[in-house]
Amino acid sequence: MLAKKLLSFKPSSSENFEKFHDSEKMNSSLDESGEEAYRARAGRKRHSVQLDKKLTSQLHSLDRRSSTISTGTADSLSSYTGSSSEEDEISPREKPQKSSKGFSDFCVKNIEHSAFGRREIEIAEQEMPGLMALRRRAEADKPLQGAKIIGCTHITAQTAVLVETLAALGASIRWSACNIYSTQNEVAAALAESGYPIYAWKGETEEDFWWCIDKCINAEGWQPNMILDDGGDATHWLLKKYPAMFNMVKGIVEESVTGVHRLYQLSKSGKLTVPAMNVNDSVTKTKFDNLYSCRESILDALKRTTDVMFGGKQVLICGFGEVGKGCSQALKGLGAIVSVTEIDPICALQACMDGFRVVKLDEVVRNIDVLITCTGNKNVVMRSHLDRLKNGCIVCNMGHSNTEIDVASLRTPELTWEKVRSQVDHIIWPDGKRIILLAEGRLVNLSCSSVPSFVVSITATTQALALIELFNAPGGRYKQDVYLLPKKMDEYVASLHLPTFDAHLTELTDDQAKYLGLNKAGPFKPNYYRY
């Protein structure tokens, strides 16, 4: 039965896993730009009287600050779309903080705002049924007992549910952010208040970013044996600064295109000395997190930041992979006129069949109202393109890394940067033309809005299973290479989420299973099947 108690399953035999080998189709420029990408990216319930009093006090405090801000300058208004604690200009690194229990192994914006974060985590738990089901099924067996996990992901309420799930399954964790703008400060505070070593806040500098990762890795009396990464930053830093410690790691779980490409590079060069799981290419990540999540979060990000109406707008989507497909569907549904750029003839044909024009950027650059990059590549939108955009064009990136838009070329004396609000800038040309740049070219949905909790539940459950698999695998099962979780596990993740929809799966009869050559319990599709 698919819904067996988690810990009854044993790590699958190696022949059930599909090893991901290097492909000649991989962009050779990745070898040259890997280091640059890393540098540039710098993305329980406690219903008590005491907490309610604390929350009420914080609300009164915020009300007072709101009153002050309402009469302030334009600069004071610039952060109103961000975290409620962004008004504090003192760097978290410069102020000592302790939790209510005296815990101090953390660095967050303001520990006093933890009650808000706890409320956000509780909301997220309601929308993450699969991950919560995994927690309930496996908590008694502690499959991650002894695991010491370095996490480097977006720190949001949804991530907090994953952190607390991993801890409930026995893991010891230390966590930092993979994006300088995506941390929810109150959530980071809530995790710190609960005793988790969290080093992250919204608006870190690049130096802060690497300092936080280093603080998580280089902790006295604690040595990591697992890595959960989003973008490869923790993997990169551990390998670069602490190679001996890196060699002691039992496994890496990576969930982004950028990070997976980096793992392939390490494997190809012989520097990958530990096994790694490529969660990004699991069906439950690619289809759900990339397609369905982006279909909703792109609209959320654009509406929150610009209040734009999409009906009749000319929108260009660069890239028609799963992220591009989701963004295109969403914007088309609101009446936008959507065009697509593509390098892959198969993806281009899909775009045509879905009713989108496939164009070159140079052909339409003067006429578009919204430009969204979704490629994961570098130098997709250059200064020459930005110079020709029409007045008022909105420019943003939905790819993981901030290398797609050449933002550095806009930081020149002849152009004026004018802050509009948090993560929204006007870039003004000498003739008065201006474009609207979101999140300085970084991941817009996690910098300017949020990602649906339900979709994160699917990805987070896959990540948790990958960590359990690698941590419990007997020595020698996994070589120093990149692997994908078997389809059986993808199906298990999906099955954990179906009860939310009151979905009832049809069961094969013995005769039907024999006819199809399948096990009645799955897996139901071969590894080469494309959903």
Side-chain angles (χ1 to χ4, degrees), residues 249-262:
V249 169
K250 294 190 68 173
I252 302 166
V253 174
E254 171 60 57
E255 73 155 335
S256 76
V257 172
T258 305
V260 167
H261 282 179
R262 182 60 175 168

Side-chain angles (χ1 to χ4, degrees), residues 88-316:
D88 189 350
E89 296 300 326
I90 301 175
S91 169
R93 293 171 61 177
E94 298 174 3
K95 56 181 182 182
Q97 299 183 79
K98 289 186 178 182
S99 71
S100 61
K101 297 179 180 179
F103 179 71
S104 61
D105 186 10
F106 64 86
C107 190
V108 300
K109 192 72 171 180
N110 193 337
I111 190 66
E112 296 300 322
H113 292 168
S114 61
F116 288 102
R118 179 51 55 186
R119 294 295 195 236
E120 292 182 27
I121 294 169
E122 290 170 359
I123 292 173
E125 288 176 344
Q126 302 304 310
E127 268 289 292
M128 302 183 74
L131 190 59
M132 296 300 290
L134 179 66
R135 185 190 298 185
R136 290 191 298 271
R137 295 180 186 198
E139 188 169 7
D141 296 285
K142 296 289 188 291
L144 290 175
Q145 191 71 52
K148 295 181 178 180
I149 303 172
I150 285 291
C152 185
T153 68
H154 302 284
I155 298 182
T156 63
Q158 298 80 21
T159 302
V161 180
L162 173 60
V163 168
E164 296 186 337
T165 297
L166 296 176
L169 302 188
S172 170
I173 66 95
R174 299 182 68 85
W175 221 272
S176 62
C178 69
N179 183 294
I180 65 173
Y181 288 135
S182 64
T183 297
Q184 293 176 336
N185 286 331
E186 290 80 6
V187 170
L191 288 170
E193 174 64 29
S194 296
Y196 298 105
I198 303 297
Y199 286 80
W201 60 93
K202 188 170 185 175
E204 299 168 359
T205 64
E206 183 177 345
E207 180 189 356
D208 292 333
F209 176 79
W210 294 112
W211 178 85
C212 287
I213 293 176
D214 192 77
K215 289 291 288 184
C216 287
I217 293 173
N218 189 18
E220 185 177 353
W222 194 92
Q223 182 170 316
N225 54 24
M226 299 293 293
I227 301 173
L228 177 56
D229 228 345
D230 185 334
D233 295 307
T235 301
H236 167 73
W237 194 254
L238 189 60
L239 179 60
K240 179 180 179 181
K241 297 292 185 179
Y242 308 99
M245 192 182 297
F246 180 83
N247 292 334
M248 299 297 291
V249 169
K250 294 190 68 173
I252 302 166
V253 174
E254 171 60 57
E255 73 155 335
S256 76
V257 172
T258 305
V260 167
H261 282 179
R262 182 60 175 168
L263 288 173
Y264 284 132
Q265 292 174 2
L266 292 175
S267 179
K268 184 176 181 180
S269 63
K271 295 179 181 178
L272 184 62
T273 57
V274 299
M277 282 288 182
N278 169 8
V279 171
N280 180 71
D281 289 307
S282 293
V283 175
T284 44
K285 167 65 166 64
T286 302
K287 281 293 179 182
F288 295 90
D289 195 12
N290 292 358
L291 175 60
Y292 300 114
S293 173
C294 293
R295 191 172 65 184
E296 298 193 18
S297 60
I298 182 60
L299 298 181
D300 185 17
L302 290 171
K303 287 288 189 182
R304 286 197 203 194
T305 52
T306 66
D307 310 311
V308 66
M309 184 170 183
F310 295 110
K313 291 292 194 301
Q314 296 278 351
V315 177
L316 181 67

Side-chain angles (χ1 to χ4, degrees), residues 43-84:
R44 260 353 98 220
K45 295 184 178 180
R46 300 192 306 167
H47 295 292
S48 65
V49 174
Q50 290 81 2
L51 185 145
D52 287 334
K53 286 181 178 178
K54 186 175 182 180
L55 185 59
T56 301
S57 173
Q58 292 178 10
L59 282 169
H60 287 321
S61 176
L62 282 178
D63 286 341
R64 289 194 297 272
R65 285 195 294 272
S66 296
S67 176
T68 302
I69 289 173
S70 66
T71 60
T73 64
D75 285 342
S76 70
L77 289 171
S78 65
S79 65
Y80 81 88
T81 57
S83 176
S84 65

Side-chain angles (χ1 to χ4, degrees), residues 9 116 119 131 163 382 389 407 427 464:
F9 85 84
F116 288 102
R119 294 295 195 236
L131 190 59
V163 168
M382 302 298 292
L389 290 173
V407 175
I427 315 299

Side-chain angles (χ1 to χ4, degrees), residues 220-473:
E220 185 177 353
W222 194 92
Q223 182 170 316
N225 54 24
M226 299 293 293
I227 301 173
L228 177 56
D229 228 345
D230 185 334
D233 295 307
T235 301
H236 167 73
W237 194 254
L238 189 60
L239 179 60
K240 179 180 179 181
K241 297 292 185 179
Y242 308 99
M245 192 182 297
F246 180 83
N247 292 334
M248 299 297 291
V249 169
K250 294 190 68 173
I252 302 166
V253 174
E254 171 60 57
E255 73 155 335
S256 76
V257 172
T258 305
V260 167
H261 282 179
R262 182 60 175 168
L263 288 173
Y264 284 132
Q265 292 174 2
L266 292 175
S267 179
K268 184 176 181 180
S269 63
K271 295 179 181 178
L272 184 62
T273 57
V274 299
M277 282 288 182
N278 169 8
V279 171
N280 180 71
D281 289 307
S282 293
V283 175
T284 44
K285 167 65 166 64
T286 302
K287 281 293 179 182
F288 295 90
D289 195 12
N290 292 358
L291 175 60
Y292 300 114
S293 173
C294 293
R295 191 172 65 184
E296 298 193 18
S297 60
I298 182 60
L299 298 181
D300 185 17
L302 290 171
K303 287 288 189 182
R304 286 197 203 194
T305 52
T306 66
D307 310 311
V308 66
M309 184 170 183
F310 295 110
K313 291 292 194 301
Q314 296 278 351
V315 177
L316 181 67
I317 308 290
C318 296
F320 202 68
E322 298 299 334
V323 173
K325 288 179 175 68
C327 293
S328 300
Q329 289 175 13
L331 291 160
K332 181 181 180 181
L334 290 185
I337 303 166
V338 180
S339 300
V340 170
T341 68
E342 241 319 323
I343 61 170
D344 186 327
I346 296 175
C347 292
L349 184 58
Q350 285 182 305
C352 292
M353 298 296 285
D354 283 339
F356 303 110
R357 286 185 60 217
V358 178
V359 299
K360 292 184 177 181
L361 177 55
D362 286 329
E363 297 170 352
V364 298
V365 67
R366 295 185 183 278
N367 301 316
I368 55 179
D369 300 296
V370 183
L371 173 58
I372 305 170
T373 54
C374 309
T375 68
N377 204 344
K378 63 178 291 188
N379 299 333
V380 176
V381 178
M382 302 298 292
R383 175 64 187 267
S384 59
H385 300 120
L386 297 165
D387 285 338
R388 287 181 286 160
L389 290 173
K390 67 192 293 188
N391 183 55
C393 183
I394 300 168
V395 181
C396 64
N397 169 42
M398 280 288 285
H400 179 86
S401 182
N402 64 334
T403 58
E404 302 197 30
I405 302 167
D406 186 12
V407 175
S409 69
L410 297 175
R411 300 188 185 278
T412 54
E414 75 272 15
L415 299 184
T416 301
W417 283 63
E418 178 182 83
K419 191 173 185 63
V420 180
R421 55 175 72 161
S422 180
Q423 309 307 315
V424 183
D425 291 287
H426 279 153
I427 315 299
I428 306 171
W429 269 252
D431 63 359
K433 184 198 87 168
R434 64 183 60 197
I435 65 171
I436 302 172
L437 178 65
L438 304 184
E440 298 183 18
R442 293 178 172 85
L443 187 58
V444 71
N445 59 346
L446 274 161
S447 296
C448 299
S449 62
S450 61
V451 174
S453 298
F454 189 87
V455 167
V456 180
S457 177
I458 297 172
T459 300
T461 305
T462 307
Q463 290 172 308
L465 287 173
L467 287 166
I468 291 170
E469 174 63 33
L470 280 177
F471 183 69
N472 290 282

